[in-house]
Structures are given as structure tokens and as C-alpha cells.
Amino acid sequence: MDYLQAQDVRFSYDQEENGMIEVLKGVTLGIQKGDFVALLGHNGSGKSTLAKHFNALLLPNGGKVYVDGLDTIDESLRFAIRKQVGLVLQNPDNQLVASIVEEDIAFGPENLGVPPAEIRQRVDAALKSVDMYEYREHAPHKLSGGQKQRIAIAGIIAMQPSTIVLDEPTAMLDPRGRQEVMETVIKLNREKGITVVLITHYMDEAVAANRVIVMDKGSILIDGTPQEVFSQVELLKEHDLDVPQSTELIYRLRERGCHRLPDGMITEEACIAALELLLKEKS
Ligand code: ADP
């Protein structure tokens, strides 16, 4: 069984002015433990709504969601589910609760009833895992955006979840902060085996995932490896969706007749290598 499972999930919001609006229209997908999934799609396509189903913050109106086999609709399992799946949101300022970094990180484990000696260990380990240990006695509000977001992530990590769901965690950060957060997320996935579901608008972030799921109007449009998904440039463009810059460059060169260049280039390195080969052949 997949670790996170959505089976024909339907969900509607009651929007006073518009009545009931169906936002998830029968979503079925399975995510395995240790996966790094990027969730892409336009604003309003249902990404956040789906993500909130994975820690039982929202419950399906139709279909089922399972976390490690636990049915999210079962109230008696909710605590166990929330312990396993941590949610990181866009704005770090809304997620930081204490005036000292280490107190902030301790907040989650304290709420879980973890014994004090173990809390100390967890706080230190979590801060080290996001490379913020030396800031443990600092005031969170004085940190940069990227550092604050890493503290927010450490706060989740201290609860020892097996999955973190991040809803546009870099949207409010400058390029340096974005890079810091992405390096942290990649490290947590690769070195600690934490399952990652990352909602993002940045294609270069999606390329770091091992699976990309594109949502469109409450349904899954494409699901595959970054290479498979970004090879479908026409389909993505039909839906006004972006592709990584390297993919775009090769796509346009192919449109102009450079058919020797292979489809589905997703990284700058691969793009450079392909162009280099072509130039050498011509010279
Ligand atoms: P995405 O994350 O892809 O931008 P969302 O899941 O946030 O999409 O939103 C999907 C749709 O649901 C949008 O049309 C949005 O306006 C609507 N929506 C989201 N949250 C609420 C809410 N709390 N109440 C009513 N409608 C909502």
C-alpha cells in the first residue's frame, strides 16, 4: 500500500457568494515513503486543498485519504496522522510562536508530551538538520526570511514526522532564502528519508523532485518523473503552465529546426551538454 493515498477524493468549499464549489474532482494518487513529490498547477487548481487532506486538516466529501493505512476520516486516528505529516506554510512569520529560536522548536514536541530531556535532544537535532544550530538563542523575528522558514521546518522536524508537506515555502523569500530552504528540503529527503510533498510555482524547484504531479481545475493533468512531465511541453503550454528554462530553450530550438537536440531537458547541465555536443559536431 502507498504511504499517502488519495482515492477518488472529492472536496467542496461552501463559498457563500457562489454556493458549494467543487475544488477536488475525484483525485486518485499514491505517494510512497521517501518520495519527493512536487505539486504544480495554476492558482486555484486545488493543490493546497489536496495537501491539507494529507494531514487531516481537511476531510474528503467523497472518496478516501489514507496516511500509512490510517483513514483520515476516523477521528480517533487524527492525532496519529498529524504526528506523521507536518505542514509548512508560505509565510514563516505565521508559523513562529516563541521569542527565542530553541523555544519555538520545542513548542511542537512539548505539545506532543515528549519528556524534557528528549525535547532538548530533538531541538538540537532539528536545528542541526536545517543548519541553524548556531542561531538557537537568537530571536526569530530578527532572522532573514530563509532562516525563519528553516526554523519553521525545524519546528516540524522536531515532531519527527515521516512526511512534510510544504505549501509554497519559498514564495515570500529572496533568491538566497529560496536556495537555503530548497537545500534543506532536499537534504531532509535524501539523508533522513523524509517524504516530501512540495507545492511550488518554481520549475527549478520541481526539477529537484523525483516525481511531478500537475493539477488542473481539481484534477490531475500529468503525473510522472520531472523528465516525463516536462517532455510534454505542448500539453503544459496548452494549459498555460511553465516549464523549466532549459526545457523551454531546447523546445524553441527544436521548433526552429534543431531536431538533433533531445526533448525533455530539465537541467542547465543537461542543456549545456546537449548544446556543446551539437556545436562540436558542427565545427
Ligand atoms: P491552489 O493551492 O492550487 O492555489 P486551493 O486549493 O488553494 O488551490 O484553492 C482551490 C479553490 O478553492 C480556489 O478557487 C479557492 O478560491 C477555493 N478555496 C480555497 N480555500 C477556500 C476556503 N477556505 N473557502 C472557500 N473557498 C476556498
Side-chain angles (χ1 to χ4, degrees), residues 13-15 23 41-50 167 199:
Y13 287 107
D14 188 358
Q15 293 180 340
V23 172
H42 286 298
N43 277 337
S45 57
K47 303 179 298 295
S48 295
T49 304
L50 177 63
D167 193 348
I199 299 176

Side-chain angles (χ1 to χ4, degrees), residues 59 114 155 245 269-270:
L59 302 171
V114 176
Q245 271 182 346
E269 294 74 43

Side-chain angles (χ1 to χ4, degrees), residues 114-121:
V114 176
E118 193 187 329
I119 291 180
R120 180 74 257 164
Q121 282 174 4

